[in-house]
Structures are given as C-alpha cells and as structure tokens.
Amino acid sequence: MAAMARWCFQRRAWVLVGWLALLAVLGVTGRTAGSAYSDSLTLPGTGSTTALTLLQQAFPGHAGDQDTIVWRASGGADTPAVRVRITAMLDRVAAAPAVASVISPYSARGAAQVSRNGQIAYATVVFDAPAASLPGPDVTRVVHLAEAARAPGVQVDIGGPAVENALRPSVGISAGVGVVAAAIVLFIAFGSLLAMLVPLIIAIAALVSGLMTTGLLSHAVTIPSSGPTLGILIGLGVGIDYALFIVTRHRNNLKAGMSPQDAAVRALNTSGRAVLFAGTTVCIALLGMLVLRIGYISGLGIAAAITVLFTVAAAATLLPALLGFLGMRVLSRRERRRLAAGAPAPDGTSGAWARLAAFVQRHPAPLAAAAASVMLVLAIPVLSLRLGSSDAANDPAATTTHQAYELLATGFGPGFNGPLELVGRIGSPADAAAFARLAGTLATEPGIAAVSAPVAGHGAALISVTPTTSPEAATTSTLIHQLRDSVIPAAEGGTALRVYVGGVTATNDDFATVIAPKLLIFVGVILVLGFLLLTLAFRSLLIPAVAAVMNLLAAAASFGILVAVFQYGWGLRLLNLGQAGPVESFLPVLMLAVLFGLSMDYEVFLVSRIREEWAATGDNHQAVRTGQATTGRVVIAAASIMILVFSAFILSGQQVIGEIGIGLAAAVLLDAFLLRTFGVPALMHLSGRANWWLPGWLDRLLPHLSIEPATQPPGPLAPGPARQVAHSTTAR
C-alpha cells in the first residue's frame, strides 16, 4: 500500500490524466452502447414464472405493457359530451409514439370497461414494448394527452407500470442535497475548503465511473432500473466516508510535522489499509446476495458493489494524487500558522472525546445494558413484519397513478388493480373442457369478485380472476394459496391439464414466499463471513462475536423503525412517501448486506486503532480509551455524512427509495452513535484481556491478515525503540 501511495503521489499528474481518460472512455462507450436495465422478476420453479412463460408462448404478440386511462364523470361516463371529449383524447393517444393500440370502453371489445353506476370508465393503452424499454418522453406524452381531457366534472387519471417508470421522480435532487449536507459536515470537521473538496471529488469520480460501468454491464447481467439509484445512495455515503478517514489521518500526520509525501504515504498505509479491508468487506457482503439465486436481487447487489469497488480504487489512487497537488493547503490557514509556530499538535488524549471515553471506562456495565435495551425496544415492531410489494396504492395521494388506482378500486372493486392470471396448459379437448369447468367453479369461490371467460392461445388458455381484496392485502395472498392448494388440483382431476396462478400480484406473493426462508441462510452466511474476516484481522474470537451481535441488534432495530413508519404508517404522510403497506420483500436482504458492510466499516476503524494501541502498551483499558478518543470524532463525522446522504433520498418521493434511505439512516445512526460509541467500548472494557485471546493452535492455522502495516515508513511519527519492543512482545 505504501509503495502504491508513494507512486501515485509522485506521479499525480499521470494519475489524474488516467482517471480523466477512464471517465472519457466509459462516457463515450456508454453513450454508444446505452443501457439494458430489466425489471422483470422471474422466480424459477414458481407458479407465477411458469404462468408468465406460458403466456409469452401462447400470446406472443402481447409483449408490451398495458396501462390504464381512467375517468369519472359526475353526469355519467357515457354522456355525449364526455364521450366526444374522451374519444378524441383516446384517438390522439392511439396515434402517439410507442402506443400499439387503445381499447376504448365505447367499443364492442371494451363494453365491460364501465362501472355499474356508469360514472367511471377506463381505456387500456397497449404499448409496443415492456415498461423498462419504453422511452420516457413517449410515455410522458401519453400522460399529458390523457390529462388534457380533464374538465369541470370530468376527472381523468392514468396509471400502470410504464407511467410509474416515466413519472418516477429523479434522484438528482436527493443526491444534490446529500452532497451539500456532506460538504457542510466536512467543512465543519476540517475547517478547510480544499480539504472539504477532496472527499467530494473522490466520491463523485467513483460514483460516475461506477454508474457508467453498471450501465454497460446491464447488457450482460440482469440489473434492475433501480440499480443505479442504489449505487448513488451507497456510493455517495461510502465514497465520502472512506476519503474522510484517509484525509483525516493525512492531516494529523501533517500537524505532527511530517512532509506532505510522507504524511500521505503513512495515511494510505494505515487508514488506507482499513479502507481497503472495509471496502472489500462491503463488496463481499453485497455480492453475497448472489447466493439467493434471484436475478432481481443479484442485480441490485452487483450494481452497488461496482460503485463501492470504484470508491476503493479512487481512494487508493486518485486520493494520494490529489493530496500531492494540495500539499500543505489541505490544512486550514490557522492550522498552518500553528504548525509554523511550532505549537504541539492535538494527540486525542484530551478534549470532549477523551472525557467521553473516560466516562465509558468508568461505567461500562450500565452503558452496555442501556445500549442493548434501547436497541431491543426499537426492534419490537419487527415481530409484526409483513413482506410484500408496494403498488400505486402506496404512491402519494396527489399523484395521477394513485388517483387512477383509487378510481378503478371505487368503480370495479379493490381487487381490480391486481387481477390473478390463471394459465392452463392445453394439450387436448379434454383439457380445454376441464379448464372451462374451472372458470365456472371459480365464480362461486369466496374471495373472488369476477371471473373472465377462458381465452385460448397457442397451447395454453387464460382466465382472469379479480379478487375481492386489494393486491397487497393478506387475504389476497390467502386466496392465491387456496387456489393452488385445493381449487386448481380438484379441477385438474385425472386430466393432463396443468393450471398455474400468475400475474403481478401472484409474482409478488411468490417473491415474498421464496425469499423468506432464504433470509436465515443469508444472515448466517454474512455473520460467518464477518466473524472470519474479523478473526483474521484482529486475531481474536471475542471481538468478532461481539461485532456479530451488534450487527444483529442494529439490523433488528432498523427494521423495527421501518415497520413502524411504513407498515404502521407512523409519520408517513409527513415524509410524503405515500400510504402504509407491507415492507418491500427484497429490502431485508439488501439492507442486511449493506448494514453488514457499513457496520464492519466502523468496527474496523475503531477496533484497528484500539488494537494498534494494545499492541504498543499491552494495557486493554488504555487501548480502548485511547482508540475511542482518537477515532470517535471522525467516526461520528463519517456517520453523520452517511445519515445525511441516506436521509436526503427521502426527498425522492419514491416509497421504495424512501424505505432504503430511512432504514439505512436509522441503522447508521444507531450503530455509530449508540453501539460503536457506547456498546462496543463498554464491552471491551468489561472483557479485558479476553478481547485479544485466540487459541495458539487456531492462530497457527489461520492465515495472517493485518490491517496495520508490518513496518512503518520513515518519518517523524516512526515509533521509537521502546514502542517497537512493546509491539513485538504484545501483538499477540
């Protein structure tokens, strides 16, 4: 690490040119190739995926998404004035780009598209491609054409997957707010404008290169359209934090009298190693999502991991180059004057953080108990966690997608927005007859509001079933299982007919069902992985065990907050994030992966400094106190940046992004301000020398992975003989 840092510092111009060239190449390639994001959710082996496959084979001409224009007229949807106005609008929509056809309620084919009271009607807009592939401006044009038909007494709204994608608020504002908030914290922490800019430049360079690479990779790997948003959210926080740790160490080295080059090399060889270890851990945790074998989730993990990978690369190469350009100007003018006057640099053994560390040392047991109690209380709501998938019902009330959803639910029943698609594999007339009988049976089943006549295709047939309850209702999920477990098997009888329940509602239900049992496996994998990595790094069994417990507490408490806000609806309207509903099915896996990585970050930065002091003195209490006093300020600054960046994404207005932002912000807040400030140091004080115990046979068996450098580079901070002896005799 030291050699690479020195090379980048000395050849800073070449490093900067190299990064600019990389960004240029990625930009040109990305503009030429474009992206191929896919939001298709396939779950091999499930009924919903089999139904989708059969539908695509049976009706190959219906590959595009279908959205809905719905209107309500107080005098009746079929009055002459309304009919003329709406028909003219539908004709303009039918002629718009990307629209394949429009099914009007004023045609014979759409005669059933008027509510019983005659006030609400809808038209189906069939696009010529899936929602993720449609140009945003084309869909937005359809929205504007539909809304132009509004008039006094005539409400017109439009909803559907294509409209949801096109009208999804940009995360640009959220990212901008996060950057500004981070800049304020950095300026407060450094007191220098130039020092403040360095972490921001690193984060932005890594973010831009990571996003462009993700877009290119989407041609080869399935990556959802929300992948870049997740990359922005994680990349901003991690990128600024990693640079903050290194720049802080560099500035401290300068204040201690080192030359800019030696200070940068020492910073990269100490804090840089911790960043490399922490970043690698975050990437491994995110890529651990691949073990679930669900393409949608794997794509999210890959997108986030790519951004973190570029962040580590920028911190290891571009950062020392920038420090070379800045020289002593990374310090504020006051700090430079103080250094020139020969004033001693602060060593972290005095001040507010030193007093807090001493307070934790004096009261370890009650502080550890209090921290654990707070986390457990916050985790109580997680006992009622219900996984599902949000839809337009959870959009903010003022949006056209939510209004369209409500109009359809009012006119045609709450289950109309999420019909079930029963697809039968038809191989003979007997199969077709049995499938027709199934349609008659379904009409008498409780929980079903309407059943369509069977529609025949190539080798398969379709029955559309409208539940009496909304798509995200628990009773709708019960109906799906009832159809699969009893109603359909009875209809199949001794025939070769095989019927599968599909549709968006069934797919979301299958997703929650598939992912729930895998959560325990995933948690086990990342906990074991974290335990092994920390054992290798710190040559201890107790420290990794405590870290695992802390990670579980942070995850449980953050999920408790998510349930309270998004499932119970506490404060949801104030946040403008829509209506209460189930927690997104993929969120536990995603958050566990990210939280595991971020928690490891703070654990590594805190404990590596404690271990450094322990290796020098052999005094556990002094090591914990000094480590907390010297790292506490920068850890809290880094956590504050993360919290502000994550919280800024609440402004996106997207409930899913809001869930991720609030969940991660809450987790970092609890982890840094409660667990790493009080819980971990208190337990390490209570454990004494047991913190550093590792059986000799295991020590010999395990490979050595050291976060601290084996030898210190020359400079004013190089340890003296006494300190070297202490290191050699107490490191184990």
Side-chain angles (χ1 to χ4, degrees):
M1 198 77 180
M4 182 173 66
R6 191 178 303 278
W7 189 92
C8 292
F9 188 97
Q10 293 174 345
R11 294 166 176 80
R12 45 190 173 271
W14 285 108
V15 174
L16 181 60
V17 169
W19 269 93
L20 292 175
L22 173 65
L23 293 173
V25 170
L26 289 174
V28 171
T29 307
R31 182 177 293 273
T32 303
S35 60
Y37 298 114
S38 173
D39 290 324
S40 62
L41 178 59
T42 56
L43 305 165
T46 62
S48 58
T49 295
T50 304
L52 177 62
T53 302
L54 286 175
L55 277 177
Q56 291 172 340
Q57 295 172 353
F59 305 98
H62 297 273
D65 270 306
Q66 298 185 11
D67 287 30
T68 305
I69 300 175
V70 56
W71 58 94
R72 174 165 56 188
S74 55
D78 200 25
T79 59
V82 173
R83 185 166 184 153
V84 169
R85 187 178 190 87
I86 296 297
T87 300
M89 177 267 291
L90 295 179
D91 289 341
R92 289 191 292 270
V93 169
V99 175
S101 63
V102 174
I103 303 174
S104 169
Y106 305 129
S107 65
R109 185 180 175 188
Q113 296 172 193
V114 180
S115 64
R116 290 183 179 180
N117 64 8
Q119 291 189 343
I120 299 175
Y122 70 91
T124 301
V125 180
V126 182
F127 288 99
D128 58 11
S133 303
L134 289 170
D138 289 348
V139 181
T140 303
R141 175 174 172 78
V142 171
V143 174
H144 292 161
L145 289 173
E147 292 177 340
R150 291 171 177 170
V154 181
Q155 176 186 352
V156 182
D157 287 289
I158 180 169
V163 174
E164 286 273 4
N165 280 357
L167 299 184
R168 184 177 296 158
S170 170
V171 298
I173 296 177
S174 298
V177 171
V179 169
V180 171
I184 294 173
V185 174
L186 288 171
F187 187 76
I188 294 173
F190 291 150
S192 167
L193 179 63
L194 292 177
M196 175 199 76
L197 291 175
V198 172
L200 297 180
I201 293 173
I202 295 300
I204 293 173
L207 191 60
V208 171
S209 53
L211 291 178
M212 289 191 291
T213 302
T214 300
L216 292 173
L217 192 61
S218 66
H219 291 279
V221 179
T222 300
I223 296 179
S225 59
S226 56
T229 302
L230 179 63
I232 294 173
L233 192 149
I234 304 250
L236 271 181
V238 171
I240 295 173
D241 269 16
Y242 287 175
L244 169 64
F245 283 115
I246 297 175
V247 173
T248 299
R249 191 65 174 255
H250 174 70
R251 283 164 44 85
N252 290 340
N253 292 342
L254 289 176
K255 293 175 187 178
M258 298 183 70
S259 68
Q261 178 172 309
D262 287 341
V265 172
R266 177 73 62 83
L268 267 294
N269 206 33
T270 51
S271 295
R273 284 172 175 262
V275 163
L276 180 61
F277 181 84
T280 303
T281 303
V282 173
C283 288
I284 292 174
L286 291 169
L287 294 177
M289 296 162 67
L290 296 174
V291 303
L292 298 175
R293 297 175 181 251
I294 299 176
Y296 186 92
I297 291 181
S298 298
L300 290 175
I302 291 171
I306 289 173
T307 307
V308 175
L309 182 64
F310 273 97
T311 296
V312 174
T317 58
L318 182 58
L319 180 53
L322 293 179
L323 295 178
F325 283 114
L326 292 178
M328 297 298 294
R329 288 174 297 172
V330 77
L331 298 177
S332 67
R333 291 176 180 172
R334 184 195 307 177
E335 290 168 330
R336 279 178 272 167
R337 286 195 300 267
R338 182 175 181 175
L339 183 61
D347 58 2
T349 58
S350 61
W353 280 102
R355 291 192 293 273
L356 178 62
F359 176 77
V360 174
Q361 181 182 350
R362 291 194 302 270
H363 310 285
L367 288 175
S373 299
V374 171
M375 303 298 281
L376 291 174
V377 169
L378 291 175
I380 290 175
V382 83
L383 298 175
S384 57
L385 172 67
R386 184 167 73 89
L387 298 179
S389 183
S390 61
D391 53 24
N394 305 110
D395 290 347
T399 59
T400 187
T401 51
H402 179 83
Q403 292 295 323
Y405 183 99
E406 292 297 328
L407 282 178
L408 290 171
T410 301
F412 303 93
F416 185 83
N417 286 289
L420 305 178
E421 297 176 339
L422 272 63
V423 185
R425 194 191 300 272
I426 307 299
S428 66
D431 295 340
F435 195 64
R437 288 193 298 271
L438 173 61
T441 302
L442 292 171
T444 62
E445 284 294 319
I448 295 178
V451 180
S452 72
V455 179
H458 300 288
L462 168 68
I463 297 174
S464 182
V465 175
T466 303
T468 57
T469 51
S470 65
E472 63 182 30
T475 47
T476 303
S477 178
T478 302
L479 173 64
I480 293 172
H481 293 287
Q482 178 185 341
L483 292 176
R484 288 172 171 169
D485 296 339
S486 58
V487 178
I488 290 176
E492 291 172 344
T495 68
L497 173 69
R498 291 296 176 266
V499 180
Y500 305 92
V501 181
V504 174
T505 302
T507 300
N508 291 336
D509 187 75
D510 284 345
F511 188 42
T513 302
V514 167
I515 206 170
K518 293 184 177 182
L519 275 177
L520 290 178
I521 299 175
F522 184 70
V523 171
V525 168
I526 63 175
L527 286 180
V528 170
L529 175 65
F531 185 91
L532 291 176
L533 287 173
L534 290 179
T535 299
L536 292 174
F538 298 126
R539 319 307 291 179
S540 165
L541 292 179
L542 185 60
I543 289 175
V546 170
V549 173
M550 295 296 176
N551 289 346
L552 286 176
L553 285 176
S558 60
F559 278 122
I561 293 173
L562 275 181
V563 171
V565 174
F566 291 95
Q567 195 170 308
Y568 298 168
W570 295 356
L572 200 54
R573 289 186 180 274
L574 294 176
L575 297 172
N576 191 36
L577 287 175
Q579 317 299 314
V583 175
E584 290 293 326
S585 300
F586 70 86
L587 202 59
V589 172
L590 176 64
M591 280 191 56
L592 283 171
V594 176
L595 292 181
F596 167 77
L598 297 182
S599 296
M600 287 285 284
D601 284 357
Y602 299 131
E603 182 78 7
V604 166
F605 289 120
L606 172 64
V607 178
S608 62
R609 183 65 183 88
I610 294 175
R611 184 177 184 273
E612 184 180 339
E613 194 67 25
W614 160 257
T617 66
D619 185 332
N620 181 75
H621 288 303
Q622 179 181 332
V624 176
R625 185 177 64 250
T626 302
Q628 183 180 8
T630 54
T631 62
R633 183 171 179 268
V634 68
V635 166
I636 291 301
S640 299
I641 290 172
M642 283 270 197
I643 293 167
L644 291 171
V645 169
F646 292 152
S647 299
F649 280 79
I650 298 172
L651 303 175
S652 69
Q654 302 178 42
Q655 187 170 93
V656 174
I657 301 301
E659 286 186 55
I660 298 174
I662 289 178
L664 293 180
V668 172
L669 174 67
L670 295 171
D671 189 281
F673 284 80
L674 195 61
L675 295 182
R676 309 301 158 182
T677 300
F678 296 104
V680 171
L683 289 175
M684 292 188 73
H685 279 300
L686 291 172
S687 302
R689 298 180 65 87
N691 286 314
W692 316 105
W693 178 78
L694 185 69
W697 63 269
L698 185 57
D699 188 23
R700 292 187 296 271
L701 183 64
L702 293 175
H704 284 256
L705 175 63
S706 177
I707 296 178
E708 299 86 11
T711 59
Q712 296 284 5
L717 289 185
R723 197 167 173 85
Q724 291 176 356
V725 171
H727 180 85
S728 63
T729 57
T730 62
R732 300 183 188 276

